[in-house]
Amino acid sequence: MTTTIPTVRPAARRSRPGNTLTRSTLGKTSGIGLGITMLWFSLLVLIPLVAVIITASSGGWSAFANQLTNEQTASAILLTIRAAIVVTLINVVIGTVIAWVLVRDKFWGKGLLEVIIDIPFALPTIVAGLVLLSLYGAESPLGLHWANTSTSVYLALAFVTLPFVVRMVQPVLEELDTDVEEAAASLGASRFTTFWRIILPSLAPAIAAGAALSFARGMGEYGSLVLLSGNLPFKSEVASVRILSAIENDNPEGAAAIAAMLLGVSLLVIVVLDLVQRRMVRRG
């Protein structure tokens, strides 16, 4: 009598919902591309940032704090942060309105306006400062003598950061389906309610992204302020000018400390806006 012993095979692993094992593999070409990307990113961004932080902390945290608590330095940092916040809030409102007009309205000169909005991107910042100085300087044809005042800082930042929110919101607004708005209107919703409950949640991620770019640009702006603000201590001196002054006075630790402070504030704002953007996307 022959006894047959059944072969026991391992049970096949079943995939369970919520417990799916995913494996990410990179091909040779993708691996090379990733390596080049990380190398380029490290050389341009990561290593310089680490070098700035190391230089800022080379004298210890007490020296770092002393650099930032200097009255002139603290005044320049506070003016920079305040101006960047105010200008960003203005851009959120005005930039969204401009994007709305460009997408939803038809009027003569629309193409010209599209080109003019991008001028701050293409124009060298020192040229932008000269243009603003000719309009708002001592010989202003408009009668607005804002040069060498704190107002000039807000003006220059508003000029160089104008396109960010507009160009982030515009393509999203173009893709919105107007049928939903028409349906809401047919159900008795007012135009304000339709905008607040339907359109704005769809635009919020783009607005947040544009605001982050606007704030970061405002924190580091230099060229447009050199001629217009006059760089007057405790009045119109911004952090970027203060960094240059520290370098000229052979104080690299002080310059790095201010730069690290601006970097930290910018990263904090960008992270907060990114979290808001992600939350709005999930809700949408």
Side-chain angles (χ1 to χ4, degrees), residues 19-42:
N19 192 29
T20 304
L21 181 63
T22 59
R23 181 179 299 175
S24 177
T25 57
L26 288 176
K28 184 177 181 180
T29 304
S30 299
I32 294 175
L34 179 61
I36 294 175
T37 300
M38 295 305 300
L39 176 62
W40 190 252
F41 175 79
S42 299

Side-chain angles (χ1 to χ4, degrees), residues 201-258:
S202 301
L203 298 180
I207 293 175
L213 294 174
S214 175
F215 181 83
R217 174 67 183 272
M219 289 289 288
E221 179 57 26
Y222 173 78
S224 62
L225 294 168
V226 173
L227 300 177
L228 186 64
S229 68
N231 308 322
L232 303 178
F234 303 102
K235 187 176 182 180
S236 62
E237 185 182 37
V238 295
S240 56
V241 175
R242 190 65 180 151
I243 291 174
L244 179 62
S245 299
I247 294 176
E248 291 177 343
N249 293 326
D250 196 22
N251 184 16
E253 293 81 9
I258 301 172

